[in-house]
Amino acid sequence: MSIRIALDNPPEFYTNLDFISGRVILVLHRPETIGNVIVKLEGESHTALTVPSTGDRDDLYRGRIPGGGGVGDIITESHKILYRLFQVYPDDGAALAFQPGTHEFKFNFKVPLNNICHDPKAMSALLGIGGLSGSGFRTMDGSKQLMLQHVKGTLPPSLTGFPQEAEIRYYIKVTIQRPGFFKENWRYQVGFKFLPVEPPRPAKTSQEAFARRPFTFRPQAALHQKKSSFFGSRSSTASPSSGAGGTPPSIEMSARLPFPSILTCNEPLPLRLIARKLAPTEQQHVYLTALEIVLVGHTQVRVHNLENTERSTWILFSAPQLSPPIQLFNSPTDPVDAEFEIPKTLWKDRRLPNTVAPSFRTCNLARTYGLEIMLTLTWAPSSSPSSLKPNSPSITLPLKLSKVDVYSGIRPPQELLNSVSTQNSRPPRLPNRPPQQPPRPGPGVNVQPPAPDPLYPPQLGTVGATMYEEAPPSYDEAMADQLAGPAARPAYSGVTAENAPSTMPAEKS
């Protein structure tokens, strides 16, 4: 016996609204009776953290860890962010005997937009009666999902690279049930990479997010020599003087990104580096001699009430020694507040690595990004780069943009964007008002109709009050069934192979 899953024209990775189709190929060497052939589309987000010791007073008030975990124990949390079923055999529920040979079963899934674990109705439906579905096969233990904290959002990307701590994986699993008390079910699975579509991009504006830092070089020291003693020995002392190197330059460096700050996977940085003159000087010969641009990712890992943040870095551009160095400003006579933009040719061809996952937030994992720029500036006495010496005054400035979003670069279909914008343009519904019983009037008292409430205008009436009773539809509700996944998509490799063994510790039941 052998089982294999063959996908139809599998891409490098799948995304939302994609159709995943294929065949389950079963090769039998002897007759077998098969009850059900179930194919599942699953996505799981696993996290694991070690319970720390109570080292301070705040830890003493930490809530009790579920499962009674003590100091040093590994606590795990798992979320079923995607769960779809497809029963490929049989149609009528009858178990039949299969003869030796090759048998194929076709399946077809459509990847949704949002995760499923936030929906208690969906989790309860997966339970079925007694943990079994109507077909008699076990789906999943949805009761565990109901006990966890959930976040509704777009399905997160595949994520690995944090052994024994965090990972997000997607699978296609097949279960072949064999009737009989002592017969074991056959199972097989294959993993696939997933990269979500990006959210609707905000309209472009002329605004910019920036990080800036002013600085002033220290005055260069002038050397004064004095004759002393009978033997003609000389002693030298150094004292600050503006006459040797001129008035020290005073400059402000800033890093700017379009606002909102959005970077795109496999696309260049829309970064601008600008120098601004703060004070008049006689000699304003300042050179950019080194530059480094680093993308910093912060992965927030949560297990119940334990949290940890992992820091990852990707070097986008690194030049420890620019050759030739770049002179800031065109002339020392430039007026105050004059600006000089560092040429973008240094990093215009540097794209985000294909191992960078887009920003996301799911139930127990989140990824945010920032950008760090390190600039080394050197003050020279003349406008010739040859005047730069190893002992020339220099300064290294850090510039940090802490709130940067990374998008996948997979634009959602225009039909979906139009549908979402239409739903967002609906007027907000009024909150439900609990009914109030009017007081019973005494005998001989005339009952006056209640005054109209300005919050509930009478022109809405009964029909208008129930018109917006339901919340606006989600992405899944807004999209059409025939809407296909995006065609254009960038390269994405993830960190490890999608079929590599899991590195997460076993979950305690």
Side-chain angles (χ1 to χ4, degrees), residues 105-155:
F105 309 92
K106 294 184 178 181
F107 63 87
N108 187 18
F109 292 102
K110 187 172 185 178
V111 183
L113 277 161
N114 297 327
N115 59 336
I116 190 177
C117 59
H118 76 279
D119 188 355
K121 293 183 179 180
M123 291 293 101
S124 301
L126 289 174
L127 277 172
I129 301 176
L132 299 176
S133 70
S135 301
F137 57 87
R138 182 175 180 83
T139 55
M140 63 175 288
D141 188 5
S143 60
K144 290 184 178 180
Q145 302 293 300
L146 297 175
M147 301 298 292
L148 301 174
Q149 299 179 11
H150 300 287
V151 174
K152 179 182 179 181
T154 307
L155 289 171

Side-chain angles (χ1 to χ4, degrees), residues 171-502:
Y171 309 92
I172 297 175
K173 299 180 180 180
V174 58
T175 301
I176 300 178
Q177 288 195 334
R178 304 165 63 203
F181 187 76
F182 295 102
K183 290 187 176 181
E184 183 181 2
N185 295 336
W186 294 333
R187 292 180 173 85
Y188 183 78
Q189 73 178 37
V190 60
F192 64 91
K193 293 176 184 176
F194 178 79
L195 191 66
V197 297
E198 62 185 31
R201 288 179 177 253
K204 292 184 178 180
T205 65
S206 59
Q207 298 180 346
E208 290 183 318
F210 61 88
R212 59 188 178 188
R213 185 181 294 271
F215 72 96
T216 301
F217 279 100
R218 293 181 179 180
Q220 295 188 18
L223 190 64
H224 301 278
Q225 295 181 345
K226 298 180 180 180
K227 291 184 178 181
S228 61
S229 79
F230 176 80
F231 299 99
S233 61
R234 298 176 181 269
S235 64
S236 60
T237 59
S239 60
S241 173
S242 61
T247 304
S250 182
I251 301 176
E252 177 188 82
M253 298 299 302
S254 62
R256 304 183 186 182
L257 288 174
F259 181 81
S261 302
I262 297 175
L263 306 182
T264 307
C265 293
N266 284 276
E267 291 189 9
L269 288 174
L271 176 67
R272 295 203 306 154
L273 296 178
I274 296 178
R276 185 169 69 94
K277 189 174 182 180
L278 297 180
T281 55
E282 299 176 0
Q283 295 183 359
Q284 188 76 42
H285 304 295
V286 179
Y287 292 86
L288 176 67
T289 55
L291 176 63
E292 183 179 68
I293 305 174
V294 179
L295 180 68
V296 181
H298 299 278
T299 305
Q300 290 85 32
V301 182
R302 185 185 62 81
V303 179
H304 302 294
N305 54 359
L306 299 179
E307 294 183 0
N308 184 43
T309 301
E310 295 289 346
R311 187 177 188 269
S312 306
T313 58
W314 294 265
I315 297 178
L316 307 182
F317 178 82
S318 180
Q321 185 174 358
L322 287 174
S323 182
I326 299 175
Q327 180 180 351
L328 306 185
F329 304 102
N330 299 321
S331 171
T333 60
D334 287 347
V336 177
D337 292 333
E339 293 185 348
F340 177 85
E341 184 172 354
I342 297 175
K344 298 180 181 179
T345 54
L346 295 176
W347 59 84
K348 72 172 185 177
D349 296 329
R350 303 297 181 94
R351 298 175 177 267
L352 267 67
N354 60 5
T355 56
V356 175
S359 306
F360 69 90
R361 180 172 179 250
T362 189
C363 305
N364 54 346
L365 276 171
R367 170 68 67 83
T368 58
Y369 287 96
L371 201 63
E372 296 183 358
I373 302 103
M374 300 293 292
L375 307 99
T376 300
L377 305 175
T378 304
W379 178 19
S382 68
S383 60
S384 174
S386 60
S387 62
L388 293 174
K389 304 298 181 181
N391 59 347
S392 298
S394 63
I395 187 173
T396 300
L397 298 177
L399 298 176
K400 296 183 180 181
L401 294 161
S402 57
K403 294 182 180 181
V404 176
D405 290 328
V406 175
Y407 281 13
S408 64
I410 306 176
R411 305 295 177 92
Q414 189 60 40
E415 297 86 351
L416 180 61
L417 295 177
N418 296 339
S419 178
V420 173
S421 61
T422 302
Q423 299 300 330
N424 292 338
S425 62
R426 289 175 23 170
R429 66 184 181 95
L430 294 174
N432 296 329
R433 185 176 188 180
Q436 297 180 357
Q437 296 294 336
R440 294 183 179 181
V445 178
N446 295 328
V447 179
Q448 298 293 333
D453 191 336
L455 295 179
Y456 293 83
Q459 62 267 24
L460 286 179
T462 305
V463 177
T466 59
M467 187 181 302
Y468 305 118
E469 184 67 24
E470 297 181 357
S474 63
Y475 268 161
D476 290 321
E477 298 167 338
M479 69 181 181
D481 292 336
Q482 67 273 14
L483 193 61
R489 57 195 67 187
Y492 178 69
S493 68
V495 181
T496 59
E498 57 271 21
N499 289 308
S502 176

Side-chain angles (χ1 to χ4, degrees), residues 50-90:
T50 302
V51 179
S53 60
T54 55
D56 53 46
R57 182 183 302 176
D58 294 337
D59 291 336
L60 297 177
Y61 296 95
R62 183 189 294 126
R64 181 176 178 84
I65 302 297
V71 175
D73 291 346
I74 297 178
I75 308 298
T76 61
E77 183 174 335
S78 178
H79 288 257
K80 286 281 187 180
I81 54 179
L82 175 61
Y83 198 89
R84 293 290 175 91
L85 293 175
F86 193 91
Q87 183 169 343
V88 297
Y89 175 84

Side-chain angles (χ1 to χ4, degrees), residues 34-38 86-98 105:
I34 296 177
N36 292 302
V37 180
I38 309 300
F86 193 91
Q87 183 169 343
V88 297
Y89 175 84
D91 296 333
D92 54 1
L96 299 177
F98 282 68
F105 309 92

